[in-house]
Amino acid sequence: MTGATAVERAELLETARELARRELVPRAAALDAGEQDVLATCWRQLAEIGLDRALLAEEHGGSGLSVSDLLAAIEELAAGEGGIALCVLLANAALATLPSEHAAAIPGGARWALVPVRSGAEATVSDGRLEGSVASALGAYGTEGVVFAVQGDRPASIAVAAGTPGLELARDEAQMGLRAAPAASIGLTGIDAHADLTQSDGASAPADAGGVLALLRAGTAAIARGIARRAYGMALEYAKARRQGGVAIIEHDAVSEMLAAMAVRLSCPLPAAAGAAAALAAKVAASDAAVASTTDAVQVFGGTGYMRETGIEKLMRDAKYCQLFPEPNWVAQDELMRLACD
Amino acid sequence: MRVAALERPLREEFPRLLRDGERACELEALRARTRRFADEHVRPRALEIDRRTGEDPGWFDWELVRAGAEHGMLRFLIPAPAGGEGGSPIHCSVVMEELCAACPGIALIFGAHALGVSPLLLGGASHWDGVLAELLDSERAGSPMLMACAITEPEAGTDVEDPDLLRRGRITSHARRVPGGFRLSGTKRFISNGSVARWITVLMPTEPRRAAETLTCFLLDTRSEGFSVSRVEHKMGQRACPAAELRFDEVFVPDELIVGREGDGAAETMIVLASSRPPVGAIATGIARGAYERLLAWLSEDPAARGLLERQHVQLVLASMEEEIHLSRQAYMDAATELDSGALGRVRSDPSVRALGHVPASIRRRARVRRWLASERARDATVALLHRTTSERALTRSLALSSLAKARGADVAMRVTGAALELVGLRAGPVRAELEKLWRDAKLTQIYEGTNQLNRIEVYRGLCHGETVNCLPPLHRAHVNADVPRHADLEAGTNGNAPQRPVVGTVVGAVGGRV
Ligand SMILES: Cc1cc2nc3c(=O)[nH]c(=O)nc-3n(C[C@H](O)[C@H](O)[C@H](O)COP(=O)(O)OP(=O)(O)OC[C@H]3O[C@@H](n4cnc5c(N)ncnc54)[C@H](O)[C@@H]3O)c2cc1C
């Protein structure tokens, strides 16, 4: 992965921004309602600009972007719709986990997702078989395949194509946030963890659980930031237009202070690289900031903000999920301290 | 996993009740009754109703309202002489906390009903044998009616919740004087129970350009011609209770259904808010408690949480939840007690109010007496009683304490539900959906009953700055449009000279009414 030149990067970001504005924002409510055909339409458009396989080298049919380019693009997409941005992150994380030739064998435009799994608590690999259950795997429902990143003593990454016997995926109807990346409850019985991906029923790959988790965390930070940007933009616009007390509400300190705090939170840069510790810290900071900003954004809208049609309460729900994925922030902070002590 | 409410006696939760054994027993009984209703009817249905109303906001569970009525959830605020339980904001708060720990959306149905009833308690005895009796009759007949209160309009949300802002706000609704009453036009927005209520207390100015001076409270029959529900909102949470947009197209309201006096609406609104904000603090406290109880149950019972209770982090989070919930409970109890025994305490114990409570309903219901109770003189007497027994400063202070409890409670609800959700994480199973719902529900408490920002402005004015807000209607009001005949006068053929009798106070324990 050599990454794009500055010009290419700027172009890529502009394309992602445009796509978010023109295609994702108008479809955000439909995506939130879980409409699968709308997700498929958006996914096709993302695949056309190569964001479904952004990190894969060009010789393997990918876009050959660097991680930081991908993260920047994900932030732009999330400023349109957070769940779609998560689909892009999960697909790229899934492919990045696989050996390049296996990743290359996945047909272009196919949506895969990476599912981090705690070894023992959720799933176990023994005798070459993957067994267990995962309660709510974001983005896994409706995919053409899932890569399980098993964390623990013996990390492993196991790719399983949809339809493989022993793989059961049920939609998590209760999912509150990032609903464009539909979550699934997954049952795993006797999944062959050795099979070859090119036969499209499964493959094992050299595990790089630390790297892939760092990517998920940095990506979640980028999504959180995109969501917070959108919330700020919407709240600012509304605060200039809505009048109470004879003036635009932005004239009231109570409102302008909330907006200023949103701007301040956005002014803290995300780390450019996805090192393990930096990614953890970024994901905690960005998701906490996104929750604070989106909650205040709803507040700026008053009662209108509480209604679904405004689209602002959705940002609050989406941001909350960034605090919980790939692990709750308090667990991420634990991990951060573990790294600091190592 | 079945989540039960924490079994603690009320005295442990409100230590000050130790000083008032009788009241403690009475509130304990009320809470036990509410808890029975919550356990049998609310908890088991909460998630399902939230899902259904998420898909179809117009869906409404009348079965639940009937069950609530059987447990007394609709009558605790109705004055005792009218046949209710004569509760105060303290009672309302105890009920709200208990119901909200089970489901805030379902609780809001009963809370919004109480809000709709509240202005009538200020209106004196004239409503005892009118709409309040009708509410109780409908309950007895097994088809309970609901009420709502409509203050907010599209161009004025915060602006209608404060008399000073009202002067600068853009009020687009209008109540036009016509012979015998008023014709109401305009739109009200986000009205809880608005689409299911049979009666609504509506605040509208008779002169929109002088809204603060002419805001008036009307009791509206939703079967009236010209009234319609133009939409039911798709909400983030508290969905079991519909929030509706209401259209008024020249809806006629007769004079006797004016609540209080024409033009007293702004002051009445402030007293209503002073008495409804402690229960909103209780709603928020109940939400936080509901999350805390679910979290505790999950931590102690769910195999997925094994070992977590030994973690210091978890223990500290739980301790700070206890702390926050305890303090926000004391805050709403302080505010409700201050209003009940302080600012409005002397109203409730005034001999004239007590005397009126002993007048048999059969006498009260005689046409002449009813006409008199609805007369301008009786309304003046009600205001005079308020002036005699309380002051604007006392009410301002009370309003500020209520606002403090509301804003503080709402923030606690957000923090506790958010922290509980973060502790259990995405993969916790069914408890996650319950906590997510409470978190969505919690957000509303920062918005309704005045946003937290407005509430804190009231705290500044009432407590930090020692201001006095216009919370009392003027003692003397030149009757506006005195030349236009009133409806009662038209019916009685007296053309403005309703029979005049010595004044017996008619305020019945403003917001409450045990005599
Ligand atoms: C689900 C729901 C149920 C409701 N139920 C009822 C009901 O039963 N009856 C009823 O009458 N109303 C009801 N409301 C309305 C509620 O009380 C209002 O939403 C609330 O008062 C805020 O008004 P608004 O929505 O117009 O917001 P706005 O007043 O437009 O406020 C927007 C933002 O500006 C800020 N702001 C406005 N003015 C000032 C100021 N002067 N100083 C500082 N900041 C300011 C606010 O704090 C807020 O952050 C309900 C609302 C909701 C969402």
Side-chain angles (χ1 to χ4, degrees):
Chain A
M1 288 172 221
T2 49
T5 63
V7 176
E8 285 168 340
R9 182 185 159 99
E11 271 174 17
L12 170 79
L13 294 189
E14 186 48 38
T15 309
R17 198 171 297 137
E18 236 347 75
L19 190 133
R21 196 175 60 78
R22 276 224 307 262
E23 308 293 338
L24 302 185
V25 169
R27 294 189 170 105
L31 289 163
D32 187 44
E35 291 180 20
Q36 293 293 291
D37 49 335
V38 180
L39 170 57
T41 307
C42 295
W43 192 253
R44 268 196 303 279
Q45 291 172 333
L46 291 161
E48 269 167 31
I49 58 170
L51 280 177
D52 60 330
R53 45 190 54 236
L55 298 179
L56 205 58
E58 286 180 76
E59 68 264 29
H60 288 114
S63 307
L65 295 185
S66 67
V67 167
S68 66
D69 291 342
L70 172 65
L71 294 178
I74 283 176
E75 182 182 324
E76 293 307 328
L77 295 177
E81 213 294 319
I84 285 287
L86 180 61
C87 289
V88 170
L89 173 65
L90 294 171
N92 281 288
L95 298 195
T97 316
L98 300 175
S100 305
E101 61 280 13
H102 284 182
I106 292 179
R111 185 168 73 83
W112 278 59
L114 183 102
V115 174
V117 178
R118 275 176 292 132
S119 171
E122 291 175 313
T124 48
V125 186
S126 66
D127 299 335
R129 304 257 154 208
L130 178 64
E131 305 271 352
S133 65
V134 183
S136 182
L138 286 187
Y141 185 76
T143 51
E144 272 134 283
V146 174
V147 176
F148 293 97
V150 182
Q151 307 147 54
D153 300 344
R154 287 192 298 145
S157 298
I158 300 153
V160 186
T164 301
L167 175 70
E168 303 272 351
L169 292 160
R171 176 96 165 89
D172 174 5
E173 299 291 350
Q175 180 181 3
M176 178 180 78
L178 297 171
R179 286 173 52 88
S185 299
I186 304 180
L188 301 160
T189 32
I191 301 280
D192 183 356
H194 293 117
D196 182 357
L197 179 74
T198 50
Q199 292 164 15
S200 77
D201 59 356
S204 66
D208 179 10
V212 86
L213 274 177
L215 176 60
L216 284 191
R217 288 167 185 144
T220 305
I223 293 169
R225 197 184 174 79
I227 293 169
R229 268 174 48 193
R230 175 141 181 79
Y232 174 59
M234 287 176 72
L236 185 63
E237 199 180 315
Y238 186 79
K240 290 179 191 163
R242 171 76 172 166
R243 292 179 73 82
Q244 285 295 279
V247 294
I249 57 171
I250 196 167
E251 304 280 331
H252 299 301
D253 285 352
V255 173
S256 68
E257 275 165 11
M258 285 190 276
L259 290 162
M262 291 182 214
V264 169
R265 287 182 208 113
L266 285 173
S267 70
C268 305
L270 286 179
L280 277 163
K283 119 95 185 158
V284 171
S287 60
D288 283 353
V291 168
S293 290
T294 52
T295 307
D296 278 354
V298 171
Q299 195 67 18
V300 169
F301 274 77
T304 310
Y306 200 68
M307 306 311 169
R308 284 231 203 126
E309 66 173 347
T310 326
I312 195 93
E313 60 82 38
K314 169 186 179 294
L315 300 181
M316 201 177 139
R317 288 185 280 118
D318 288 350
K320 189 70 195 166
Y321 264 39
C322 295
Q323 278 184 329
L324 308 180
F325 182 81
E327 66 279 280
N329 276 359
W330 73 277
V331 178
Q333 280 171 333
D334 257 8
E335 180 64 11
L336 192 62
M337 284 304 96
R338 203 183 54 75
L339 290 178
C341 294
D342 277 351
Chain B
M1 178 192 332
R2 197 186 160 282
V3 181
L6 288 179
E7 296 295 335
R8 287 179 187 159
L10 202 62
R11 279 168 230 230
E12 269 180 32
E13 290 181 344
F14 302 115
R16 80 200 55 186
L17 280 180
L18 290 171
R19 271 182 274 131
D20 186 348
E22 198 184 322
R23 169 145 286 193
C25 289
E26 174 195 322
L27 290 175
E28 193 75 79
L30 175 65
R31 191 174 73 155
R33 166 157 51 105
T34 310
R35 189 169 286 183
R36 263 196 313 281
F37 170 56
D39 285 346
E40 285 168 24
H41 299 276
V42 179
R43 272 173 225 279
R45 271 137 114 170
L47 275 183
E48 175 56 15
I49 292 180
D50 178 67
R51 189 191 61 74
R52 284 191 82 153
T53 44
E55 284 164 10
D56 172 12
W59 191 84
F60 188 73
D61 192 344
W62 278 105
E63 205 42 59
L64 201 59
V65 177
R66 272 187 284 277
E70 280 165 19
H71 287 80
M73 297 295 106
L74 295 174
R75 61 170 176 269
F76 54 82
L77 269 192
I78 297 181
E85 294 175 7
S88 70
I90 300 180
H91 299 78
C92 189
S93 300
V94 167
V95 168
M96 282 301 123
E97 181 185 324
E98 209 50 48
L99 287 183
C100 286
C103 174
I106 294 172
L108 183 59
I109 298 173
F110 301 100
H113 172 79
L115 184 67
V117 168
S118 292
L120 301 181
L121 307 179
L122 287 172
S126 60
H127 301 289
W128 288 358
D129 303 304
V131 70
L132 294 177
E134 198 182 320
L135 291 178
L136 293 168
D137 288 346
S138 71
E139 226 184 285
R140 278 190 285 272
S143 51
M145 290 174 180
L146 286 173
M147 286 202 64
C149 177
I151 306 175
T152 310
E153 34 190 271
E155 299 296 323
T158 301
D159 282 355
V160 271
E161 303 234 343
D162 181 277
D164 289 345
L165 293 172
L166 202 50
R167 285 193 183 91
R168 283 177 269 156
R170 211 169 87 79
I171 310 297
T172 49
S173 65
H174 181 195
R176 187 168 54 84
R177 167 74 50 221
V178 292
F182 288 83
R183 289 213 172 262
L184 275 51
S185 297
T187 303
K188 292 283 172 182
R189 197 164 67 147
F190 306 149
I191 307 307
S192 299
N193 281 354
S195 54
V196 289
R198 170 72 168 72
W199 291 95
I200 303 182
T201 37
V202 182
L203 283 125
M204 275 195 194
T206 54
E207 286 177 49
R209 290 226 202 106
R210 295 199 314 126
E213 292 77 23
T214 67
L215 198 70
T216 303
C217 184
F218 299 92
L219 178 59
L220 178 111
D221 182 341
T222 55
R223 291 174 310 183
S224 307
E225 203 178 317
F227 171 82
S228 59
V229 174
S230 39
R231 60 184 280 151
V232 179
E233 304 286 350
H234 220 128
K235 297 195 286 183
M236 180 188 197
Q238 300 200 18
R239 290 177 184 150
C241 173
E245 185 179 89
L246 311 177
R247 287 274 320 140
F248 301 80
D249 188 7
E250 294 274 304
V251 187
F252 179 72
V253 178
D255 286 315
E256 56 270 29
L257 294 188
I258 294 177
V259 181
R261 296 180 315 191
E262 186 184 335
D264 285 351
E268 286 166 355
T269 303
M270 299 318 278
I271 300 180
V272 166
L273 290 175
S275 59
S276 64
R277 282 178 184 163
V280 175
I283 287 177
T285 308
I287 295 175
R289 196 190 97 197
Y292 174 64
E293 285 171 356
R294 284 166 178 83
L295 176 63
L296 265 186
W298 180 77
L299 286 166
S300 21
E301 291 166 26
D302 197 303
R306 194 168 301 129
L308 282 182
L309 267 176
E310 274 88 68
R311 283 288 313 267
Q312 198 176 60
H313 169 78
V314 176
Q315 294 168 2
L316 293 177
V317 169
L318 290 172
S320 96
M321 288 178 174
E322 267 284 349
E323 192 180 309
E324 298 226 61
I325 292 166
H326 178 79
L327 291 175
S328 78
R329 183 180 290 127
Q330 306 316 306
Y332 81 64
M333 205 51 165
D334 271 346
T337 310
E338 156 71 26
L339 189 74
D340 189 45
S341 321
L344 292 179
R346 285 181 52 218
V347 185
R348 289 167 68 90
S349 59
D350 191 87
S352 63
V353 174
R354 287 174 172 276
L356 190 69
H358 293 300
V359 176
S362 55
I363 296 181
R364 260 186 358 239
R365 286 179 187 173
R366 287 185 190 155
R368 271 171 70 93
V369 180
R370 288 191 65 171
R371 261 204 313 279
W372 182 78
L373 285 172
S375 71
E376 293 292 359
R377 273 185 59 117
R379 290 165 202 246
D380 285 344
T382 301
V383 173
L385 172 66
L386 273 176
H387 277 264
R388 215 170 51 239
T389 52
T390 187
S391 68
E392 284 202 316
R393 178 65 199 129
L395 283 169
T396 305
R397 207 186 111 73
S398 208
L399 175 69
L401 275 176
S402 300
S403 304
L404 181 155
K406 185 270 181 195
R408 172 74 188 177
D411 288 354
V412 166
M414 279 308 289
R415 270 201 298 276
V416 171
T417 53
L421 197 47
E422 202 185 317
L423 253 188
V424 305
L426 277 180
R427 300 201 177 155
V431 70
R432 191 203 78 208
E434 297 206 30
L435 292 175
E436 285 177 352
K437 174 181 173 303
L438 287 172
W439 181 75
R440 287 187 281 110
D441 293 339
K443 180 61 199 160
L444 183 53
T445 61
Q446 292 182 322
I447 300 171
Y448 63 12
E449 221 68 6
T451 61
N452 271 12
Q453 287 71 26
L454 175 71
N455 276 273
R456 291 202 160 104
I457 290 169
E458 305 293 6
V459 173
Y460 169 76
R461 293 166 69 178
L463 298 180
C464 316
H465 199 228
E467 278 178 41
T468 298
V469 176
N470 287 345
C471 300
L472 277 180
L475 191 52
H476 303 290
R477 188 176 276 289
H479 295 297
V480 208
N481 295 318
D483 48 331
V484 185
R486 302 285 191 263
H487 192 244
D489 305 330
L490 290 176
E491 273 194 343
T494 52
N495 203 21
N497 296 313
Q500 310 219 325
R501 292 277 144 136
V503 172
V504 180
T506 53
V507 166
V508 178
V511 196
R514 196 181 308 247
V515 285

